[in-house]
Amino acid sequence: MPNSMTDPFGRTVSYLRVSVTDRCDFRCTYCMAENMTFLPKKELLTLEELDRLCTAFVNKGVRRLRLTGGEPLMRRGIMGFVRTLSRHLDSGKLDEITLTTNGSQLAKYADELADCGVRRINVSLDTLDAEKFAEITRRGRLGQVMEGIEAAKRAGIALKLNMVALKGFNEHEIEPMLRWAHGEGMDLTLIETMPMGEIDGDRNEQYLPVSRVRERLSETLTLNDIPYKTGGPATYVEVEETGGRLGFITPLTHNFCESCNRVRLTCTGTLFMCLGQDDAADLRAPLRASEGDELLNAAITEAISRKPKGHDFIIDRNNKGPAVARHMSMTGG
Ligand code: SAM
Ligand code: SF4
């Protein structure tokens, strides 16, 4: 009997990303428009329903869960949710629960997250300049995020920073960010902008190929390829001068699909089998149709059998619109 979490291309899905809310306290310019219409609250699955969904995936072989959003720590009751999920860490069914956060609420939750068994967190940070931070997030405060980072460190949580490389905005801050992050014992990953969802600006203007950043960094730093993997799509180098790790996520310049082990669940129970494709499976109906998990399990198996070979992202001058209509905050990156 084939493993029902293995797709037609032989990739076994072991990693589930869950966007627990589409809402966020920031409005990063590459991610959202200034005026966003969020889902009405009644459309959201309850946290109990999300737990049932996650548990179905865990029982089918998912070993890692990443909570994301929107801003995951903005969802009311989120810590109770993490606490409940942590039973799968205790039972050994799950290897890891982690999250991607903008850091604004980390000072409040870091200790409790550590207590629930969260060992690793990704924090998104695009600049160390307070004014530019306010500009790119439209409503964030750098100081608050820094306090969050400190609190997570004190709680013993390993941190990785995600920085979106943006032409004309932070391209000259990449090396200083790298030196600072590594000096503080944090890995850094550079991300290219992906054409997802309508934003107010033009993505062509923001797009900075990470391959070019790498070339530039190599002029002053020694970057050694290493086989390090975190279960995500980044490829890593070790920076000889700092001893730290630097990751590159290059969805547009490099095809990372052949080793993709991930699927993404939204807060309405829609499963996206690929970040860069519109095809999706509704898990809310089978979830709500019965108290048992038979229908749900069948729907998950069917969805995995439709996981596409790869994405169709492209940013070019003739292609002004987003490749996929939904915003990153729906599936959480
Ligand atoms: N709010 C949390 C945060 O910012 O970390 C979690 C959700 S956010 C959508 C996840 C990651 O996606 C962040 O690192 C963010 O910088 C990145 N992101 C958002 N929109 C993007 C886009 N269009 N292209 C590339 N990365 C994007
Ligand atoms: Fe919010 Fe994260 Fe999107 Fe920024 S990148 S607007 S913090 S969801």
Side-chain angles (χ1 to χ4, degrees):
M1 171 109 177
N3 178 346
S4 60
M5 292 294 268
T6 302
D7 76 6
F9 304 98
R11 300 166 299 186
T12 298
V13 172
S14 57
Y15 188 170
L16 176 68
R17 297 196 174 196
V18 187
S19 175
V20 295
T21 175
D22 64 330
R23 289 169 195 253
C24 187
D25 49 340
F26 293 0
R27 295 285 183 280
C28 302
T29 54
Y30 50 80
C31 178
M32 293 191 181
E34 169 79 65
N35 293 310
M36 291 288 289
T37 311
F38 293 113
L39 290 165
K41 289 234 167 78
K42 63 175 180 359
E43 296 265 318
L44 299 196
L45 295 185
T46 64
L47 292 174
E48 289 74 19
E49 287 176 320
L50 275 176
D51 180 72
R52 224 184 109 198
L53 273 176
C54 291
T55 301
F57 276 95
V58 170
N59 287 336
K60 281 171 82 65
V62 157
R63 304 288 313 173
R64 292 177 142 159
L65 275 184
R66 176 176 295 276
L67 307 183
T68 173
E71 176 45 42
L73 296 179
M74 292 301 284
R75 172 119 192 209
R76 189 172 301 163
I78 187 68
M79 283 317 307
F81 180 59
V82 178
R83 177 79 62 190
T84 312
L85 284 176
S86 71
R87 72 188 184 283
H88 298 308
L89 289 175
D90 299 337
S91 74
K93 280 188 172 174
L94 260 187
D95 295 330
E96 180 174 65
I97 299 175
T98 180
L99 63 152
T100 303
T101 173
N102 65 23
S104 71
Q105 310 301 309
L106 255 188
K108 194 158 65 185
Y109 292 130
D111 287 339
E112 216 176 332
L113 286 168
D115 194 49
C116 290
V118 174
R119 300 277 166 262
R120 218 163 53 101
I121 287 184
N122 289 0
V123 177
S124 304
L125 187 62
D126 303 320
T127 172
L128 291 171
D129 176 313
E131 264 176 44
K132 289 177 86 170
F133 185 83
E135 182 192 329
I136 196 81
T137 62
R138 291 201 185 98
R139 50 190 74 174
R141 281 197 305 111
L142 180 64
Q144 199 176 338
V145 174
M146 290 299 183
E147 282 168 26
I149 288 176
E150 278 310 311
K153 280 205 311 220
R154 274 198 306 276
I157 299 175
L159 291 166
K160 179 168 80 72
L161 297 184
N162 282 346
M163 177 181 194
V164 179
L166 296 161
K167 191 158 80 187
F169 179 76
N170 61 6
E171 52 184 306
H172 299 294
E173 290 187 65
I174 293 173
E175 188 175 332
M177 179 73 90
L178 181 147
R179 289 186 183 276
W180 175 74
H182 288 179
E184 298 284 320
M186 299 183 279
D187 290 344
L188 174 69
T189 295
L190 300 173
I191 309 177
E192 276 171 6
T193 51
M194 299 177 219
M196 298 187 66
E198 291 290 348
I199 55 170
D200 297 324
D202 177 357
R203 279 212 173 82
N204 280 320
E205 285 171 15
Q206 298 183 318
Y207 177 58
L208 176 62
V210 160
S211 53
R212 190 167 333 137
V213 176
R214 185 179 171 154
E215 273 166 30
R216 262 192 236 155
L217 286 174
S218 319
E219 290 167 13
T220 47
L221 296 164
T222 318
L223 311 179
N224 299 319
D225 286 316
I226 49 170
Y228 180 71
K229 274 273 159 210
T230 60
T235 53
Y236 283 88
V237 296
E238 192 175 62
V239 182
E240 212 166 284
E241 288 76 2
T242 61
R245 277 187 294 248
L246 174 64
F248 300 98
I249 299 187
T250 56
L252 304 173
T253 51
H254 177 75
N255 204 325
F256 57 37
C257 305
E258 64 268 22
S259 61
C260 179
N261 58 356
R262 295 169 290 287
V263 288
R264 298 172 158 84
L265 183 66
T266 72
C267 54
T268 57
T270 303
L271 188 74
F272 284 92
M273 286 74 84
C274 172
L275 180 65
Q277 299 277 0
D278 286 326
D279 188 33
D282 172 43
L283 298 184
R284 178 166 63 181
L287 175 82
R288 289 184 174 169
S290 81
E291 281 181 15
D293 283 346
E294 235 167 74
L295 290 173
L296 180 59
N297 284 332
I300 294 173
T301 304
E302 193 278 330
I304 302 294
S305 78
R306 279 195 280 134
K307 187 167 160 62
K309 189 157 185 235
H311 66 68
D312 293 330
F313 284 141
I314 183 157
I315 291 187
D316 67 43
R317 303 254 156 237
N318 306 318
N319 190 352
K320 291 272 182 203
V324 290
R326 63 183 191 278
H327 287 91
M328 185 73 102
S329 48
M330 207 172 139
T331 40

